[in-house]
Amino acid sequence: MRELLAKMVGKKVDIFCGGSSSLRGKLVKVDDTVAHLVDEDDRMFYVSIERVVVFSESPGSEQRAGFVK
């Protein structure tokens, strides 16, 4: 998992850790046991790599129903 996450550094990702636990942010660093993400409010999050169940690259744009950008 660490090697796969390391390939995504610099990209916006969605990380799912099971239950209702999921995060979206820019992956800025992956070390031996922790993935470092920054969300859209510039808050830093640290995720234990061993807890990651699924991750994917986030969609490029966020289009919400009823709003026009």
Side-chain angles (χ1 to χ4, degrees):
M1 183 64 76
R2 188 187 106 40
E3 292 81 16
L4 292 171
L5 281 167
K7 292 178 183 179
M8 301 295 282
V9 170
K11 296 182 180 180
K12 189 174 178 183
V13 296
D14 292 325
I15 294 181
F16 177 69
C17 297
S20 62
S21 207
S22 65
L23 295 167
R24 174 177 283 175
K26 181 179 179 183
L27 188 59
V28 293
K29 179 181 175 183
V30 176
D31 60 25
D32 289 336
T33 60
V34 178
H36 306 248
L37 286 99
V38 176
D39 73 358
E40 62 186 26
D41 296 325
D42 289 327
R43 293 181 295 176
M44 182 68 77
F45 289 90
Y46 305 93
V47 180
S48 173
I49 293 172
E50 69 182 28
R51 300 291 183 197
V52 175
V53 176
V54 175
F55 75 91
S56 66
E57 189 169 359
S58 295
S61 64
E62 291 186 28
Q63 187 85 17
R64 295 190 176 133
F67 294 91
V68 178
K69 288 186 177 186

